[in-house]
Amino acid sequence: MNWVLISVIAYFLSGANSVIDKYLLHRSIPQPLVYAFYVGVFSIFSVIIAPFGLAWPGFEHFLYAIGVGIVFLCALIAFFIALKADEASRIVALVGGATPGFILVLSIFVFGITPTHKELFALALLVFGTVVISTRRNQKCSLIEFHKHECVQSTEIALLAALLFALFFVSAKFVFNSQEFISGFVWTRIGSFLGALLLLLIPFVRRQIFHTTKNVKAKMGALFVINKTLAGVAFFLLNYAIAIGNIALVNALEGVKYLFILAIMLIITRKLPTVFAEEITPFVLIQKTVAVVSIALGLVVLST
């Protein structure tokens, strides 16, 4: 199969995964911290590939990999909080566009890399796209209710998620430089698993987890497992596409994911308006399309 087609299928599955995440956060697991807990616990299944390359990296590298996994879980928590609060098409594109921008900025400060004119141009496109996607015509911020009724803006949380994802990717580079991919991947996933267990130490989160576990319906639980399996298949296909194709172009095709999400939202919003609540006015459609195209072009410029 052609690596371009494999990449497109992978990004479609990844986009569908985000849409289902939104659905589950609304219908069966409404607390983002609880949802992140389940995702973190599910990470332990990465040990399935342990026989293919897991090795003890030394205590120092072990602790570092565990810490990187916990950072990833924190990024997921912020992402799910924002996704729960706002439109999936906005949040996924916002996080997806801001993350590579943050990675570039972190690389400049952490690795001392001097950005090229092309990278600066790509950064400008990414920033423009994220600003457009996060701007609302009525100037009303999307708010969510968090612990103790504190309200936070979903856009700010989404940017925090992007920053944490960027920190994870930059930190993960050190992990994979010090050990083989499978070993580093498994240890970081175990880190996410241990991070999820740490959430049990927070009383109000622990109560929410036990309450949700007791009351979640079997059908919704099965959908969660299927959705995380979907995410795993998308991850595998992306890595296979990278192995047989052009890594830069595979990464550049990520913009297709945001177009898929936007299209899916247009189709299902009318049927489930209380779940997804996507704005579909002509102005908003143009706004989202311009933002997604700008982010996609930024990814293309940055990756080629």
Side-chain angles (χ1 to χ4, degrees), residues 11 42 83 94 98 102 104 114 127 171 185 261-262:
Y11 284 125
F42 202 79
L83 186 63
L94 176 57
F102 280 129
L104 180 58
T114 301
V127 170
S171 301
F185 177 78
I261 292 176
L262 185 57

Side-chain angles (χ1 to χ4, degrees), residues 42-92:
F42 202 79
S43 299
I44 195 61
F45 289 103
S46 64
V47 298
I48 293 174
I49 64 173
F52 299 99
L54 181 64
W56 176 248
F59 189 68
E60 182 179 348
H61 290 299
F62 164 76
L63 286 181
Y64 185 82
I66 295 299
V68 170
I70 292 175
V71 169
F72 181 73
L73 181 68
C74 291
L76 286 178
I77 290 173
F79 174 71
F80 291 141
I81 289 174
L83 186 63
K84 162 75 174 178
D86 212 332
E87 298 170 313
S89 61
R90 287 187 190 271
I91 295 302
V92 176

Side-chain angles (χ1 to χ4, degrees), residues 2-242:
N2 185 278
W3 63 267
V4 175
L5 179 58
I6 293 174
S7 300
V8 171
I9 292 173
Y11 284 125
F12 173 77
L13 293 178
S14 181
N17 171 250
S18 296
V19 173
I20 297 174
D21 280 338
K22 173 72 174 179
Y23 177 79
L24 289 172
L25 279 165
H26 182 86
R27 282 293 175 89
S28 60
I29 312 176
Q31 298 85 12
L33 282 171
V34 176
Y35 196 81
F37 167 80
Y38 289 133
V39 174
V41 168
F42 202 79
S43 299
I44 195 61
F45 289 103
S46 64
V47 298
I48 293 174
I49 64 173
F52 299 99
L54 181 64
W56 176 248
F59 189 68
E60 182 179 348
H61 290 299
F62 164 76
L63 286 181
Y64 185 82
I66 295 299
V68 170
I70 292 175
V71 169
F72 181 73
L73 181 68
C74 291
L76 286 178
I77 290 173
F79 174 71
F80 291 141
I81 289 174
L83 186 63
K84 162 75 174 178
D86 212 332
E87 298 170 313
S89 61
R90 287 187 190 271
I91 295 302
V92 176
L94 176 57
V95 174
T99 298
F102 280 129
I103 289 175
L104 180 58
V105 173
L106 288 174
S107 297
I108 293 172
F109 289 101
V110 176
F111 298 111
I113 297 174
T114 301
T116 63
H117 292 297
K118 184 182 75 170
E119 289 173 332
L120 290 175
F121 177 59
L123 181 61
L125 287 171
L126 293 171
V127 170
F128 175 76
T130 55
V131 169
V132 172
I133 199 71
S134 60
T135 301
R136 285 169 172 75
R137 195 177 188 183
N138 58 12
Q139 300 298 312
K140 291 182 180 179
C141 295
S142 177
L143 300 176
I144 63 172
E145 186 178 49
F146 196 45
H147 183 49
K148 294 182 179 179
H149 304 286
E150 295 174 2
C151 288
V152 291
Q153 294 185 11
S154 59
T155 297
E156 294 175 357
I157 294 297
L159 290 175
L160 174 61
L163 177 60
L164 290 170
F165 277 125
L167 183 61
F168 162 75
F169 287 122
V170 172
S171 301
K173 182 175 178 62
F174 289 104
V175 174
F176 297 125
N177 283 344
S178 63
Q179 52 189 299
E180 295 298 324
F181 172 77
I182 289 180
S183 183
F185 177 78
V186 172
W187 286 125
T188 56
R189 296 304 90 200
I190 290 176
S192 294
F193 170 76
L194 295 176
L197 295 184
L198 289 176
L199 290 175
L200 292 171
L201 299 178
I202 306 174
F204 84 93
V205 177
R206 184 172 64 250
R207 288 194 297 270
Q208 289 179 345
I209 291 171
F210 290 157
H211 176 76
T212 302
T213 302
K214 185 171 60 177
N215 293 284
V216 69
K217 296 180 180 179
K219 184 167 66 174
M220 289 299 181
L223 180 59
F224 175 85
V225 173
I226 292 172
N227 192 38
K228 295 306 113 182
T229 303
L230 201 67
V233 172
F235 178 81
F236 174 81
L237 289 176
L238 277 178
N239 281 271
Y240 182 63
I242 289 172

